[in-house]
mmCIF file of all heavy atoms in Angstrom:
data_model
loop_
_atom_site.group_PDB
_atom_site.id
_atom_site.type_symbol
_atom_site.label_atom_id
_atom_site.label_comp_id
_atom_site.label_asym_id
_atom_site.label_seq_id
_atom_site.Cartn_x
_atom_site.Cartn_y
_atom_site.Cartn_z
ATOM 1 N N ARG A 262 95.296 98.971 97.955
ATOM 2 C CA ARG A 262 96.539 99.699 97.771
ATOM 3 C C ARG A 262 96.623 100.861 98.738
ATOM 4 O O ARG A 262 95.611 101.454 99.125
ATOM 5 C CB ARG A 262 96.723 100.143 96.315
ATOM 6 C CG ARG A 262 95.677 101.057 95.746
ATOM 7 C CD ARG A 262 95.762 101.070 94.197
ATOM 8 N NE ARG A 262 97.124 101.224 93.714
ATOM 9 C CZ ARG A 262 97.529 100.932 92.474
ATOM 10 N NH1 ARG A 262 96.662 100.476 91.577
ATOM 11 N NH2 ARG A 262 98.798 101.096 92.129
ATOM 12 N N ASP A 263 97.836 101.167 99.124
ATOM 13 C CA ASP A 263 98.145 102.260 100.020
ATOM 14 C C ASP A 263 98.937 103.271 99.213
ATOM 15 O O ASP A 263 100.117 103.055 98.916
ATOM 16 C CB ASP A 263 98.944 101.752 101.218
ATOM 17 C CG ASP A 263 99.214 102.822 102.253
ATOM 18 O OD1 ASP A 263 99.309 104.006 101.901
ATOM 19 O OD2 ASP A 263 99.349 102.461 103.441
ATOM 20 N N TYR A 264 98.294 104.362 98.850
ATOM 21 C CA TYR A 264 98.950 105.341 97.991
ATOM 22 C C TYR A 264 100.091 106.065 98.689
ATOM 23 O O TYR A 264 101.064 106.458 98.043
ATOM 24 C CB TYR A 264 97.925 106.344 97.462
ATOM 25 C CG TYR A 264 96.976 105.735 96.468
ATOM 26 C CD1 TYR A 264 95.725 105.273 96.858
ATOM 27 C CD2 TYR A 264 97.341 105.605 95.134
ATOM 28 C CE1 TYR A 264 94.860 104.704 95.943
ATOM 29 C CE2 TYR A 264 96.481 105.036 94.217
ATOM 30 C CZ TYR A 264 95.250 104.588 94.626
ATOM 31 O OH TYR A 264 94.391 104.015 93.716
ATOM 32 N N ALA A 265 99.974 106.253 99.983
ATOM 33 C CA ALA A 265 101.042 106.915 100.719
ATOM 34 C C ALA A 265 102.324 106.104 100.676
ATOM 35 O O ALA A 265 103.428 106.667 100.603
ATOM 36 C CB ALA A 265 100.615 107.167 102.161
ATOM 37 N N LYS A 266 102.185 104.793 100.725
ATOM 38 C CA LYS A 266 103.343 103.913 100.692
ATOM 39 C C LYS A 266 103.667 103.428 99.290
ATOM 40 O O LYS A 266 104.736 102.840 99.077
ATOM 41 C CB LYS A 266 103.123 102.708 101.606
ATOM 42 C CG LYS A 266 102.974 103.059 103.076
ATOM 43 C CD LYS A 266 102.766 101.809 103.911
ATOM 44 C CE LYS A 266 102.641 102.146 105.377
ATOM 45 N NZ LYS A 266 102.417 100.929 106.203
ATOM 46 N N GLY A 267 102.757 103.658 98.349
ATOM 47 C CA GLY A 267 102.964 103.169 97.001
ATOM 48 C C GLY A 267 102.979 101.660 96.917
ATOM 49 O O GLY A 267 103.705 101.093 96.093
ATOM 50 N N THR A 268 102.165 101.015 97.733
ATOM 51 C CA THR A 268 102.186 99.573 97.876
ATOM 52 C C THR A 268 100.815 98.978 97.580
ATOM 53 O O THR A 268 99.790 99.599 97.870
ATOM 54 C CB THR A 268 102.614 99.189 99.306
ATOM 55 O OG1 THR A 268 103.909 99.744 99.573
ATOM 56 C CG2 THR A 268 102.680 97.682 99.480
ATOM 57 N N VAL A 269 100.813 97.806 97.000
ATOM 58 C CA VAL A 269 99.599 97.041 96.745
ATOM 59 C C VAL A 269 99.642 95.773 97.581
ATOM 60 O O VAL A 269 100.690 95.129 97.686
ATOM 61 C CB VAL A 269 99.448 96.710 95.253
ATOM 62 C CG1 VAL A 269 98.254 95.785 95.027
ATOM 63 C CG2 VAL A 269 99.276 97.987 94.449
ATOM 64 N N TYR A 270 98.496 95.412 98.156
ATOM 65 C CA TYR A 270 98.409 94.260 99.029
ATOM 66 C C TYR A 270 97.416 93.247 98.482
ATOM 67 O O TYR A 270 96.459 93.587 97.796
ATOM 68 C CB TYR A 270 97.958 94.665 100.431
ATOM 69 C CG TYR A 270 98.847 95.679 101.085
ATOM 70 C CD1 TYR A 270 98.495 97.022 101.102
ATOM 71 C CD2 TYR A 270 100.034 95.296 101.698
ATOM 72 C CE1 TYR A 270 99.309 97.960 101.702
ATOM 73 C CE2 TYR A 270 100.853 96.225 102.296
ATOM 74 C CZ TYR A 270 100.487 97.555 102.302
ATOM 75 O OH TYR A 270 101.309 98.480 102.903
ATOM 76 N N LEU A 271 97.646 92.007 98.825
ATOM 77 C CA LEU A 271 96.680 90.950 98.582
ATOM 78 C C LEU A 271 96.483 90.212 99.898
ATOM 79 O O LEU A 271 97.356 89.454 100.326
ATOM 80 C CB LEU A 271 97.148 89.986 97.490
ATOM 81 C CG LEU A 271 96.134 88.905 97.104
ATOM 82 C CD1 LEU A 271 94.925 89.535 96.415
ATOM 83 C CD2 LEU A 271 96.772 87.854 96.199
ATOM 84 N N GLN A 272 95.360 90.472 100.539
ATOM 85 C CA GLN A 272 95.014 89.786 101.769
ATOM 86 C C GLN A 272 94.352 88.466 101.418
ATOM 87 O O GLN A 272 93.333 88.447 100.721
ATOM 88 C CB GLN A 272 94.070 90.640 102.614
ATOM 89 C CG GLN A 272 93.623 89.978 103.914
ATOM 90 C CD GLN A 272 94.751 89.798 104.896
ATOM 91 O OE1 GLN A 272 95.536 90.710 105.106
ATOM 92 N NE2 GLN A 272 94.840 88.616 105.493
ATOM 93 N N MET A 273 94.915 87.377 101.883
ATOM 94 C CA MET A 273 94.437 86.048 101.551
ATOM 95 C C MET A 273 93.958 85.371 102.824
ATOM 96 O O MET A 273 94.760 85.097 103.723
ATOM 97 C CB MET A 273 95.535 85.223 100.880
ATOM 98 C CG MET A 273 96.156 85.901 99.667
ATOM 99 S SD MET A 273 97.333 84.840 98.792
ATOM 100 C CE MET A 273 98.576 84.632 100.064
ATOM 101 N N ASN A 274 92.676 85.111 102.894
ATOM 102 C CA ASN A 274 92.068 84.453 104.039
ATOM 103 C C ASN A 274 91.507 83.105 103.627
ATOM 104 O O ASN A 274 91.308 82.826 102.449
ATOM 105 C CB ASN A 274 90.949 85.318 104.628
ATOM 106 C CG ASN A 274 91.433 86.646 105.150
ATOM 107 O OD1 ASN A 274 92.559 86.766 105.634
ATOM 108 N ND2 ASN A 274 90.580 87.658 105.063
ATOM 109 N N SER A 275 91.229 82.285 104.616
ATOM 110 C CA SER A 275 90.645 80.964 104.382
ATOM 111 C C SER A 275 91.405 80.198 103.313
ATOM 112 O O SER A 275 90.825 79.631 102.389
ATOM 113 C CB SER A 275 89.165 81.098 104.001
ATOM 114 O OG SER A 275 88.434 81.767 105.007
ATOM 115 N N LEU A 276 92.700 80.172 103.455
ATOM 116 C CA LEU A 276 93.548 79.579 102.427
ATOM 117 C C LEU A 276 93.317 78.080 102.307
ATOM 118 O O LEU A 276 93.081 77.383 103.300
ATOM 119 C CB LEU A 276 95.012 79.868 102.722
ATOM 120 C CG LEU A 276 95.434 81.297 102.391
ATOM 121 C CD1 LEU A 276 96.747 81.644 103.084
ATOM 122 C CD2 LEU A 276 95.576 81.468 100.874
ATOM 123 N N LYS A 277 93.400 77.609 101.080
ATOM 124 C CA LYS A 277 93.204 76.215 100.740
ATOM 125 C C LYS A 277 94.476 75.646 100.135
ATOM 126 O O LYS A 277 95.294 76.389 99.593
ATOM 127 C CB LYS A 277 92.063 76.070 99.727
ATOM 128 C CG LYS A 277 90.747 76.695 100.148
ATOM 129 C CD LYS A 277 89.732 76.616 99.015
ATOM 130 C CE LYS A 277 88.415 77.238 99.403
ATOM 131 N NZ LYS A 277 87.439 77.184 98.284
ATOM 132 N N PRO A 278 94.648 74.330 100.185
ATOM 133 C CA PRO A 278 95.821 73.743 99.527
ATOM 134 C C PRO A 278 95.930 74.113 98.051
ATOM 135 O O PRO A 278 97.048 74.254 97.539
ATOM 136 C CB PRO A 278 95.599 72.239 99.714
ATOM 137 C CG PRO A 278 94.838 72.144 100.996
ATOM 138 C CD PRO A 278 93.914 73.336 100.982
ATOM 139 N N ASP A 279 94.803 74.290 97.375
ATOM 140 C CA ASP A 279 94.832 74.663 95.966
ATOM 141 C C ASP A 279 95.376 76.065 95.729
ATOM 142 O O ASP A 279 95.667 76.434 94.592
ATOM 143 C CB ASP A 279 93.432 74.568 95.354
ATOM 144 C CG ASP A 279 92.982 73.140 95.110
ATOM 145 O OD1 ASP A 279 93.830 72.228 95.194
ATOM 146 O OD2 ASP A 279 91.787 72.934 94.823
ATOM 147 N N ASP A 280 95.512 76.850 96.783
ATOM 148 C CA ASP A 280 96.113 78.171 96.655
ATOM 149 C C ASP A 280 97.630 78.121 96.609
ATOM 150 O O ASP A 280 98.271 79.149 96.374
ATOM 151 C CB ASP A 280 95.681 79.074 97.814
ATOM 152 C CG ASP A 280 94.189 79.351 97.820
ATOM 153 O OD1 ASP A 280 93.620 79.582 96.736
ATOM 154 O OD2 ASP A 280 93.594 79.335 98.918
ATOM 155 N N THR A 281 98.200 76.966 96.849
ATOM 156 C CA THR A 281 99.650 76.828 96.824
ATOM 157 C C THR A 281 100.191 77.165 95.443
ATOM 158 O O THR A 281 99.778 76.580 94.442
ATOM 159 C CB THR A 281 100.057 75.403 97.214
ATOM 160 O OG1 THR A 281 99.656 75.147 98.565
ATOM 161 C CG2 THR A 281 101.561 75.217 97.094
ATOM 162 N N ALA A 282 101.098 78.109 95.389
ATOM 163 C CA ALA A 282 101.649 78.566 94.118
ATOM 164 C C ALA A 282 102.700 79.626 94.396
ATOM 165 O O ALA A 282 102.837 80.113 95.524
ATOM 166 C CB ALA A 282 100.552 79.149 93.217
ATOM 167 N N VAL A 283 103.422 79.982 93.354
ATOM 168 C CA VAL A 283 104.240 81.178 93.392
ATOM 169 C C VAL A 283 103.371 82.342 92.939
ATOM 170 O O VAL A 283 102.746 82.279 91.874
ATOM 171 C CB VAL A 283 105.480 81.057 92.496
ATOM 172 C CG1 VAL A 283 106.281 82.350 92.499
ATOM 173 C CG2 VAL A 283 106.356 79.901 92.957
ATOM 174 N N TYR A 284 103.327 83.373 93.738
ATOM 175 C CA TYR A 284 102.498 84.535 93.452
ATOM 176 C C TYR A 284 103.363 85.680 92.941
ATOM 177 O O TYR A 284 104.398 86.005 93.530
ATOM 178 C CB TYR A 284 101.736 84.981 94.702
ATOM 179 C CG TYR A 284 100.564 84.088 95.033
ATOM 180 C CD1 TYR A 284 100.769 82.797 95.506
ATOM 181 C CD2 TYR A 284 99.258 84.531 94.854
ATOM 182 C CE1 TYR A 284 99.699 81.966 95.791
ATOM 183 C CE2 TYR A 284 98.184 83.711 95.139
ATOM 184 C CZ TYR A 284 98.405 82.429 95.608
ATOM 185 O OH TYR A 284 97.335 81.602 95.897
ATOM 186 N N TYR A 285 102.931 86.270 91.848
ATOM 187 C CA TYR A 285 103.631 87.373 91.221
ATOM 188 C C TYR A 285 102.729 88.598 91.162
ATOM 189 O O TYR A 285 101.533 88.485 90.895
ATOM 190 C CB TYR A 285 104.029 87.031 89.788
ATOM 191 C CG TYR A 285 104.895 85.807 89.620
ATOM 192 C CD1 TYR A 285 104.335 84.549 89.475
ATOM 193 C CD2 TYR A 285 106.281 85.925 89.593
ATOM 194 C CE1 TYR A 285 105.125 83.426 89.312
ATOM 195 C CE2 TYR A 285 107.078 84.806 89.425
ATOM 196 C CZ TYR A 285 106.492 83.557 89.283
ATOM 197 O OH TYR A 285 107.287 82.449 89.118
ATOM 198 N N CYS A 286 103.295 89.759 91.387
ATOM 199 C CA CYS A 286 102.585 90.977 91.059
ATOM 200 C C CYS A 286 103.137 91.529 89.757
ATOM 201 O O CYS A 286 104.302 91.326 89.417
ATOM 202 C CB CYS A 286 102.653 92.019 92.184
ATOM 203 S SG CYS A 286 104.284 92.694 92.536
ATOM 204 N N ALA A 287 102.275 92.202 89.018
ATOM 205 C CA ALA A 287 102.643 92.735 87.725
ATOM 206 C C ALA A 287 101.969 94.080 87.524
ATOM 207 O O ALA A 287 100.864 94.310 88.019
ATOM 208 C CB ALA A 287 102.235 91.768 86.604
ATOM 209 N N ALA A 288 102.627 94.956 86.785
ATOM 210 C CA ALA A 288 102.154 96.323 86.593
ATOM 211 C C ALA A 288 102.018 96.644 85.120
ATOM 212 O O ALA A 288 102.819 96.205 84.295
ATOM 213 C CB ALA A 288 103.113 97.314 87.248
ATOM 214 N N THR A 289 101.001 97.426 84.810
ATOM 215 C CA THR A 289 100.801 97.887 83.444
ATOM 216 C C THR A 289 100.143 99.256 83.451
ATOM 217 O O THR A 289 99.342 99.569 84.336
ATOM 218 C CB THR A 289 99.935 96.907 82.634
ATOM 219 O OG1 THR A 289 99.774 97.396 81.301
ATOM 220 C CG2 THR A 289 98.553 96.738 83.261
ATOM 221 N N SER A 290 100.480 100.053 82.468
ATOM 222 C CA SER A 290 99.800 101.315 82.233
ATOM 223 C C SER A 290 98.832 101.213 81.066
ATOM 224 O O SER A 290 98.176 102.196 80.712
ATOM 225 C CB SER A 290 100.809 102.436 81.964
ATOM 226 O OG SER A 290 101.580 102.152 80.809
ATOM 227 N N ARG A 291 98.715 100.035 80.483
ATOM 228 C CA ARG A 291 97.888 99.825 79.307
ATOM 229 C C ARG A 291 96.535 99.201 79.613
ATOM 230 O O ARG A 291 95.736 98.994 78.697
ATOM 231 C CB ARG A 291 98.635 98.952 78.291
ATOM 232 C CG ARG A 291 99.878 99.620 77.737
ATOM 233 C CD ARG A 291 100.579 98.726 76.736
ATOM 234 N NE ARG A 291 101.270 97.634 77.396
ATOM 235 C CZ ARG A 291 101.641 96.511 76.778
ATOM 236 N NH1 ARG A 291 101.351 96.343 75.487
ATOM 237 N NH2 ARG A 291 102.282 95.567 77.444
ATOM 238 N N VAL A 292 96.295 98.884 80.858
ATOM 239 C CA VAL A 292 95.007 98.390 81.308
ATOM 240 C C VAL A 292 94.446 99.415 82.279
ATOM 241 O O VAL A 292 95.015 99.647 83.343
ATOM 242 C CB VAL A 292 95.125 97.013 81.981
ATOM 243 C CG1 VAL A 292 93.763 96.571 82.510
ATOM 244 C CG2 VAL A 292 95.674 95.991 81.003
ATOM 245 N N LEU A 293 93.341 100.034 81.912
ATOM 246 C CA LEU A 293 92.785 101.119 82.709
ATOM 247 C C LEU A 293 91.679 100.661 83.649
ATOM 248 O O LEU A 293 91.326 101.396 84.572
ATOM 249 C CB LEU A 293 92.257 102.227 81.798
ATOM 250 C CG LEU A 293 93.286 102.846 80.858
ATOM 251 C CD1 LEU A 293 92.648 103.962 80.052
ATOM 252 C CD2 LEU A 293 94.488 103.356 81.638
ATOM 253 N N TRP A 294 91.134 99.486 83.408
ATOM 254 C CA TRP A 294 90.127 98.933 84.288
ATOM 255 C C TRP A 294 90.314 97.428 84.356
ATOM 256 O O TRP A 294 90.919 96.817 83.474
ATOM 257 C CB TRP A 294 88.714 99.289 83.812
ATOM 258 C CG TRP A 294 88.373 98.755 82.454
ATOM 259 C CD1 TRP A 294 87.785 97.561 82.160
ATOM 260 C CD2 TRP A 294 88.597 99.408 81.202
ATOM 261 N NE1 TRP A 294 87.635 97.421 80.799
ATOM 262 C CE2 TRP A 294 88.124 98.548 80.184
ATOM 263 C CE3 TRP A 294 89.158 100.635 80.843
ATOM 264 C CZ2 TRP A 294 88.190 98.871 78.835
ATOM 265 C CZ3 TRP A 294 89.230 100.964 79.492
ATOM 266 C CH2 TRP A 294 88.737 100.085 78.517
ATOM 267 N N CYS A 295 89.792 96.846 85.388
ATOM 268 C CA CYS A 295 89.967 95.420 85.619
ATOM 269 C C CYS A 295 88.771 94.641 85.101
ATOM 270 O O CYS A 295 87.639 95.121 85.130
ATOM 271 C CB CYS A 295 90.152 95.142 87.107
ATOM 272 S SG CYS A 295 91.615 95.916 87.827
ATOM 273 N N SER A 296 89.036 93.443 84.654
ATOM 274 C CA SER A 296 88.004 92.563 84.141
ATOM 275 C C SER A 296 88.366 91.126 84.462
ATOM 276 O O SER A 296 89.388 90.855 85.100
ATOM 277 C CB SER A 296 87.828 92.744 82.631
ATOM 278 O OG SER A 296 88.933 92.218 81.929
ATOM 279 N N ASP A 297 87.524 90.205 83.995
ATOM 280 C CA ASP A 297 87.770 88.790 84.232
ATOM 281 C C ASP A 297 88.929 88.245 83.411
ATOM 282 O O ASP A 297 89.386 87.129 83.663
ATOM 283 C CB ASP A 297 86.517 87.967 83.924
ATOM 284 C CG ASP A 297 85.385 88.237 84.885
ATOM 285 O OD1 ASP A 297 85.653 88.691 86.018
ATOM 286 O OD2 ASP A 297 84.218 87.988 84.512
ATOM 287 N N SER A 298 89.361 89.003 82.427
ATOM 288 C CA SER A 298 90.440 88.559 81.559
ATOM 289 C C SER A 298 91.779 89.102 82.047
ATOM 290 O O SER A 298 91.902 90.287 82.348
ATOM 291 C CB SER A 298 90.198 89.000 80.113
ATOM 292 O OG SER A 298 89.024 88.410 79.591
ATOM 293 N N TYR A 299 92.750 88.233 82.105
ATOM 294 C CA TYR A 299 94.114 88.610 82.475
ATOM 295 C C TYR A 299 95.033 88.160 81.355
ATOM 296 O O TYR A 299 95.137 86.964 81.078
ATOM 297 C CB TYR A 299 94.534 87.945 83.779
ATOM 298 C CG TYR A 299 93.750 88.400 84.985
ATOM 299 C CD1 TYR A 299 92.489 87.893 85.251
ATOM 300 C CD2 TYR A 299 94.291 89.332 85.868
ATOM 301 C CE1 TYR A 299 91.778 88.314 86.353
ATOM 302 C CE2 TYR A 299 93.583 89.750 86.975
ATOM 303 C CZ TYR A 299 92.329 89.238 87.213
ATOM 304 O OH TYR A 299 91.621 89.647 88.322
ATOM 305 N N SER A 300 95.678 89.114 80.737
ATOM 306 C CA SER A 300 96.603 88.829 79.653
ATOM 307 C C SER A 300 98.012 89.194 80.107
ATOM 308 O O SER A 300 98.319 90.375 80.291
ATOM 309 C CB SER A 300 96.234 89.600 78.390
ATOM 310 O OG SER A 300 97.151 89.332 77.346
ATOM 311 N N SER A 301 98.829 88.195 80.281
ATOM 312 C CA SER A 301 100.189 88.431 80.765
ATOM 313 C C SER A 301 100.964 89.382 79.866
ATOM 314 O O SER A 301 101.790 90.154 80.340
ATOM 315 C CB SER A 301 100.947 87.106 80.880
ATOM 316 O OG SER A 301 100.351 86.261 81.843
ATOM 317 N N GLY A 302 100.682 89.320 78.560
ATOM 318 C CA GLY A 302 101.405 90.148 77.612
ATOM 319 C C GLY A 302 101.171 91.630 77.773
ATOM 320 O O GLY A 302 101.941 92.429 77.241
ATOM 321 N N LEU A 303 100.122 92.018 78.482
ATOM 322 C CA LEU A 303 99.833 93.425 78.686
ATOM 323 C C LEU A 303 100.593 94.018 79.868
ATOM 324 O O LEU A 303 100.564 95.230 80.059
ATOM 325 C CB LEU A 303 98.335 93.636 78.902
ATOM 326 C CG LEU A 303 97.428 93.330 77.701
ATOM 327 C CD1 LEU A 303 95.971 93.490 78.094
ATOM 328 C CD2 LEU A 303 97.766 94.234 76.527
ATOM 329 N N TYR A 304 101.249 93.185 80.628
ATOM 330 C CA TYR A 304 101.932 93.643 81.828
ATOM 331 C C TYR A 304 103.418 93.797 81.552
ATOM 332 O O TYR A 304 104.090 92.846 81.153
ATOM 333 C CB TYR A 304 101.667 92.689 82.992
ATOM 334 C CG TYR A 304 100.249 92.806 83.469
ATOM 335 C CD1 TYR A 304 99.215 92.178 82.788
ATOM 336 C CD2 TYR A 304 99.932 93.596 84.573
ATOM 337 C CE1 TYR A 304 97.905 92.329 83.196
ATOM 338 C CE2 TYR A 304 98.622 93.740 84.987
ATOM 339 C CZ TYR A 304 97.610 93.108 84.295
ATOM 340 O OH TYR A 304 96.310 93.258 84.696
ATOM 341 N N ASP A 305 103.904 94.990 81.775
ATOM 342 C CA ASP A 305 105.264 95.341 81.417
ATOM 343 C C ASP A 305 106.283 95.007 82.495
ATOM 344 O O ASP A 305 107.463 94.803 82.186
ATOM 345 C CB ASP A 305 105.349 96.839 81.108
ATOM 346 C CG ASP A 305 104.422 97.244 79.980
ATOM 347 O OD1 ASP A 305 104.564 96.702 78.870
ATOM 348 O OD2 ASP A 305 103.555 98.113 80.207
ATOM 349 N N TYR A 306 105.848 94.978 83.728
ATOM 350 C CA TYR A 306 106.760 94.805 84.842
ATOM 351 C C TYR A 306 106.270 93.701 85.761
ATOM 352 O O TYR A 306 105.079 93.628 86.090
ATOM 353 C CB TYR A 306 106.900 96.115 85.629
ATOM 354 C CG TYR A 306 107.244 97.290 84.752
ATOM 355 C CD1 TYR A 306 106.276 98.219 84.409
ATOM 356 C CD2 TYR A 306 108.527 97.456 84.254
ATOM 357 C CE1 TYR A 306 106.575 99.291 83.592
ATOM 358 C CE2 TYR A 306 108.839 98.523 83.434
ATOM 359 C CZ TYR A 306 107.858 99.437 83.109
ATOM 360 O OH TYR A 306 108.158 100.503 82.296
ATOM 361 N N TRP A 307 107.202 92.873 86.187
ATOM 362 C CA TRP A 307 106.903 91.712 87.019
ATOM 363 C C TRP A 307 107.869 91.621 88.185
ATOM 364 O O TRP A 307 109.045 91.974 88.065
ATOM 365 C CB TRP A 307 107.000 90.423 86.208
ATOM 366 C CG TRP A 307 105.969 90.300 85.144
ATOM 367 C CD1 TRP A 307 105.975 90.913 83.926
ATOM 368 C CD2 TRP A 307 104.784 89.510 85.194
ATOM 369 N NE1 TRP A 307 104.856 90.557 83.211
ATOM 370 C CE2 TRP A 307 104.110 89.688 83.971
ATOM 371 C CE3 TRP A 307 104.225 88.664 86.152
ATOM 372 C CZ2 TRP A 307 102.903 89.052 83.685
ATOM 373 C CZ3 TRP A 307 103.032 88.025 85.878
ATOM 374 C CH2 TRP A 307 102.385 88.225 84.650
#
């Protein structure tokens, strides 16, 4: 993330056909740290 620009990036290298998808970013203030679990219901903005 670039705090000056307020932007988050996902650099994707060595892409594979299995990476084909629609990619969404989502934001939450209710998750304070990252883990292996992703719960869509915790994300308020998409």
Side-chain angles (χ1 to χ4, degrees):
R262 60 197 313 162
D263 184 331
Y264 290 96
K266 297 180 179 179
T268 302
V269 174
Y270 302 100
L271 184 67
Q272 178 67 45
M273 306 186 296
N274 298 328
S275 302
L276 284 163
K277 305 174 180 179
D279 286 348
D280 296 319
T281 296
V283 177
Y284 284 70
Y285 302 88
C286 66
T289 180
S290 61
R291 295 180 286 160
V292 177
L293 301 182
W294 62 91
C295 298
S296 71
D297 293 337
S298 297
Y299 295 80
S300 179
S301 296
L303 294 176
Y304 289 80
D305 301 301
Y306 308 103
W307 294 78

